[in-house]
Structure formats: structure tokens, C-alpha cells
Amino acid sequence: LFVDETAGSDETGRGTKCTPYQTALAAVALIASMPEEKQPTFKIVVKKTSDTEYVEITASALKKARKSHEIAAKKAKKQAEQSSKDKEQNEAREAEEQRRLEESKKIVLVEDAALAAAQQIRIQDAVQNRNMRVKVFGWVHRQRVQGKDMMFVVLRDGTGFLQCVLTDRLCHSYDALTLTLESAIAVYGQIKEVPAGKTAPDGHELVVDYWHVVGKAPGGDDSFSNRVNDESDPSLLLQQRHLVIRGEKASSILKVRARVMRAFRDHFDNNAYVEVTPPCMVQTEVEGGSTLFGFDYYGELAYLTQSSQLYLETCLPSMGAVYTLSESYRAEKSNTRRHLSEFTHCEAEIPFISFDDLLDSIEAMVKGVVSRVWEEPATRAMITQLNPDFKPYTEPFVRMRYEDAIKWLNEHGIKRAEDGKDFEFGDDIP
């Protein structure tokens, strides 16, 4: 058998002079695979460099190759044995799971008629309903099995999270063994404070005495965790946005956003502004024709509005100060947060004011909205979780002329994001 250490190959070689092996180990492995009576008839010749001839392998090199082959053979045998053992264990586990599933189908859960009637509540009302028998609907947010006779399910209904404890028959039923994340279920039982040293949302858990599935979510390849997880590509997450918003972070952002919208309305209403709802479909430009989204409106060309400013101005003589929180549209392809095709636009118009009055109203609006949102405990908790370093700004806003702002930016080393250069007079200040 020929071994060429410079030009041979253990993968494609056959041990011939035309197609030699690269290592003596490959030649030894081939010999070991032969019947014992044929093995002594083979010898190994080795070529060390391209300009030398083939010579018979040295005794020490042959011994080393045989030793390496023995080690590799033992390792392969051990791996094969382990693989066979793992296969047997998996088959036994699958058989046991199948047996449990078949047995679980015989378990029929029935609500105990002797118990007090359950009052349906939302999770946000759980604290004031402790030690009473309640019924809660929600989606399975998390679940874990503890031992053979206990199962924990964290339920979510949009108003909060509730840990539920299922024991004995309740966690042995077919629905319990096949329960999937995001399934909709109904649970009945009493809400109890968790034991000392244990933790759960709001410091309590629902001790379940009866439950049933309202709608089971898909499992396997179509399960929630296969569709959306921490390693998912952003493009996939955008395609599965309806699932992403079920996560705690995304849903908190939407809840804080809703509270911010309400805070804007509260501020304007408390300052005698009137809310108006201008149309989104218009027939003229507001911010320039290059960013209009056009469409056919019963045979006429119409556009999605870029701003409600012109409509608000027409309302001033009849309603005084007015505002709107509505959608605006700009046909600008961009990857920045300041250029969105669709965005919620807060606009206001005030008659008979000076420039200082305008600055005062803007500062009061920002501070008023932030303080309203920050002072609400539930929203404040979400903001702290999303942005731990956030602190409301309470000092008077600094006011300076545009030319002084350009000078201030350059003196403090703040550069333009586009090219990293100093700001110049005429630049926009983001």
C-alpha cells in the first residue's frame, strides 16, 4: 500500500501508486479491515517528499500507526455502543410517553359542583380577589413540569400575569400533557399568597381545582417558540409581528405608547384645546410633492396626508386652540427613525400667540406628558424595565438662537451623524 505524505489523500486515495494515501494510519485501517489470513501479505511503503522514492515504512512508524488505529477503533466502538444505548433509552422514553398519553385519555376532568361558584375576573383584579374561588381566562405564557404530580402555568390575559399550580389528576390529563405555549385556557380555583421564599407575579398563585382548554395553539414545527425566539432574524420577526407583540418587552412598549397617547390628550384637554380628526385622504400637498403617496379616488387623483396642519388652521376661528393625534404619511425611503412612511403625528395650532408663547406651550406639553406617564405606577414600572436609566427632565429647557446652537455643538465635539464632521450654518440639527 502506497503512502505519499505530500500528494496523497486519505479521503480519495485507494492505496495504489496512482492514488496513494496521505498517512500510514489510513493504510493500517485498510489492512485491519481485511481477513486475518490476508493481512500479513500487505506491506506499506512511504514517500516523504516529492523528490524521494517510496521506501518501506519503519517499524516505529508502523507501530505508531497501529496504536493510533487501535485507539480510534476503541473510540468508534465506544461511540457505537453509546449511540445504541441512547437509541434504546429514547425508544423506551418514547414508549413511556406514548403509554402516558394513552392513559391520560381516560382522565376526564369535571368541575366539582360542591365548590362555590367561580367569579370570572381579569388578572389585574387578582389581588383584591385572593382567597375567593375565581375563574380566569388567558393564554399560556410559560409552563414547566415539576416532578410527576405538579405543573406550573404562567397565564397572560393582557392585564397581567398569573402563576397557576396544577396537581395530581389536573396535570395528568391529555390536555395537560399536550399543552402548548400560547394555548387559550380557563382556570378555576383560589388565589393564595406564595409561601415565604418563593416568588411569583404579584406575590400570589392560583391553586387550580378545575381547568379546560379554550383553544390549543400549534405544537411541533409550528409551535410559538419555533416561530419566534431570541435567535430569530429581525426580518423574520417583522413578518411574525403578531406573535412578537405577545412578548413582555414588545407588549410593554405598546402599553406605554397607549399611555403616552392618553397623556397628550389629557394635557391638551386640560389646557382648553379641542381635538379634531382631519381626513387622511387629501387632494393637495402640505410638505412638498416629492413625498406624497398617491392613489385613485373614484377616478380622481388623491393623496395620503403628509400633515393635518392646513385643516387645523381652518378650525382656529371656530374652536380656538386645536390639536390632533392622527396618522401622517411620507413617501421617503429611509432607514432612520426620523423618516417613516407612516407615523402618529401630534399637531397643534394656537391663535394669537407670540414666539415665546409657542416655546412655553411646547415645553409645558413635553413636561406635562412625561410627568403624567411617569406618575402612574404600572406605566412607570414598564418604563423602568425598558429604560432603567430614564429620569424625567424637570429643569427649564435651555433656549438659544440657531447660530448659537451650531456653535455649542461644535464646542462640545458633537458631530454630524452622516459624515462625522462639524455642524455648519444651514445644517439641520437632529
Side-chain angles (χ1 to χ4, degrees):
L1 295 176
F2 291 85
V3 175
D4 187 336
E5 295 183 356
T6 57
S9 171
D10 288 348
E11 287 75 30
T12 60
R14 301 172 64 113
T16 65
K17 193 170 185 178
C18 294
T19 56
Y21 290 124
Q22 186 181 27
T23 67
L25 177 60
V28 168
L30 178 62
I31 295 172
S33 68
M34 300 282 184
E36 289 188 10
E37 63 272 14
K38 286 190 176 183
Q39 291 181 14
T41 65
F42 284 89
K43 72 175 182 178
I44 301 172
V45 292
V46 181
K47 184 177 182 181
K48 292 286 186 182
T49 61
S50 58
D51 56 355
T52 59
E53 298 295 327
Y54 282 101
V55 296
E56 189 169 351
I57 190 171
T58 64
S60 61
L62 180 59
K63 182 179 179 181
K64 183 178 179 181
R66 284 175 175 167
K67 185 67 175 176
S68 297
H69 173 69
E70 289 174 7
I71 293 173
K74 288 180 181 179
K75 186 176 180 181
K77 182 181 179 182
K78 188 175 181 180
Q79 287 178 339
E81 291 173 350
Q82 185 62 44
S83 178
S84 177
K85 185 178 179 180
D86 291 343
K87 182 180 179 182
E88 291 177 1
Q89 290 177 344
N90 288 336
E91 289 175 350
R93 190 181 301 112
E94 289 174 2
E96 174 61 19
E97 288 177 358
Q98 189 60 39
R99 185 194 66 77
R100 287 184 64 203
L101 282 176
E102 291 303 319
E103 287 292 321
S104 71
K105 294 177 181 178
K106 301 175 184 177
I107 298 176
V108 178
L109 301 180
V110 179
E111 185 178 5
D112 188 347
L115 295 174
Q119 177 185 351
Q120 183 175 333
I121 66 167
R122 294 186 298 177
I123 292 176
Q124 68 177 12
D125 302 320
V127 172
Q128 53 263 45
N129 284 280
R130 287 179 178 175
N131 302 314
M132 296 175 58
R133 190 164 185 264
V134 298
K135 173 173 64 174
V136 181
F137 288 92
W139 290 268
V140 177
H141 190 65
R142 287 191 298 271
Q143 61 174 326
R144 64 182 173 90
V145 176
Q146 184 168 310
K148 293 184 178 180
D149 298 315
M150 184 173 288
M151 180 177 178
F152 292 91
V153 174
V154 175
L155 211 59
R156 181 192 75 242
D157 72 348
T159 71
F161 298 89
L162 178 64
Q163 178 170 289
C164 307
V165 185
L166 287 69
T167 56
D168 301 326
R169 283 169 54 86
L170 296 175
C171 59
H172 295 160
S173 69
Y174 183 79
D175 281 337
L177 296 183
T178 59
L179 189 62
T180 50
L181 292 179
E182 296 304 320
S183 292
I185 66 174
V187 290
Y188 299 65
Q190 288 193 341
I191 298 173
K192 303 285 187 179
E193 288 190 58
V194 294
K198 304 292 183 180
T199 59
D202 292 325
H204 57 218
E205 59 190 9
L206 177 67
V207 181
V208 179
D209 58 53
Y210 172 68
W211 73 285
H212 64 85
V213 173
V214 177
K216 187 168 287 186
D221 293 340
D222 291 326
S223 66
F224 177 81
S225 55
N226 277 347
R227 291 291 188 91
V228 174
N229 55 63
D230 293 338
E231 298 178 359
S232 297
D233 186 83
S235 60
L236 184 144
L237 294 178
L238 289 172
Q239 292 294 332
Q240 302 291 333
R241 189 66 177 164
H242 63 295
L243 299 180
V244 172
I245 61 174
R246 299 186 183 204
E248 294 177 35
K249 180 178 179 180
S251 61
S252 293
I253 291 172
L254 293 179
K255 289 175 182 177
V256 171
R257 182 185 190 276
R259 182 62 188 94
V260 169
M261 297 275 283
R262 180 153 54 94
F264 271 108
R265 288 190 165 94
D266 290 343
H267 169 79
F268 285 125
D269 291 346
N270 288 345
N271 286 276
Y273 288 70
V274 177
E275 182 175 9
V276 295
T277 54
C280 286
M281 297 182 291
V282 298
Q283 286 191 301
T284 185
E285 65 187 58
V286 180
E287 299 287 346
S290 63
T291 64
L292 285 168
F293 279 111
F295 62 95
D296 178 74
Y297 183 76
Y298 303 109
E300 294 186 53
L301 181 60
Y303 307 99
L304 295 176
T305 185
Q306 302 159 313
S307 167
S308 297
Q309 174 187 340
L310 301 182
Y311 284 98
L312 293 177
E313 288 172 354
T314 66
C315 295
L316 293 177
S318 59
M319 287 179 271
V322 291
Y323 78 98
T324 184
L325 286 170
S326 53
E327 306 313 301
S328 289
Y329 305 86
R330 306 283 173 87
E332 295 178 278
K333 285 189 176 181
S334 174
N335 289 325
T336 75
R337 292 178 296 174
R338 294 185 295 118
H339 297 81
L340 300 176
S341 296
E342 177 184 359
F343 58 96
T344 303
H345 204 168
C346 174
E347 297 182 274
E349 292 290 339
I350 317 168
F352 310 117
I353 61 168
S354 67
F355 186 59
D356 283 335
D357 293 334
L358 175 62
L359 296 182
D360 290 339
S361 65
I362 293 173
E363 180 172 340
M365 178 190 70
V366 173
K367 289 181 177 178
V369 168
V370 172
S371 65
R372 279 180 167 84
V373 174
W374 187 248
E375 288 167 4
E376 189 174 272
T379 311
R380 182 171 183 167
M382 287 187 285
I383 294 173
T384 302
Q385 184 179 9
L386 293 167
N387 186 359
D389 297 328
F390 177 79
K391 289 182 177 58
Y393 192 76
T394 56
E395 299 299 319
F397 284 8
V398 175
R399 299 179 185 181
M400 62 178 70
R401 296 176 59 83
Y402 170 80
E403 58 189 328
D404 296 328
I406 295 293
K407 182 180 179 181
W408 186 93
L409 290 169
N410 292 334
E411 287 177 347
H412 288 77
I414 299 173
K415 308 295 182 181
R416 293 188 302 209
E418 306 85 57
D419 55 16
K421 296 182 179 179
D422 283 348
F423 281 90
E424 296 178 359
F425 196 92
D427 288 340
D428 286 337
I429 302 176

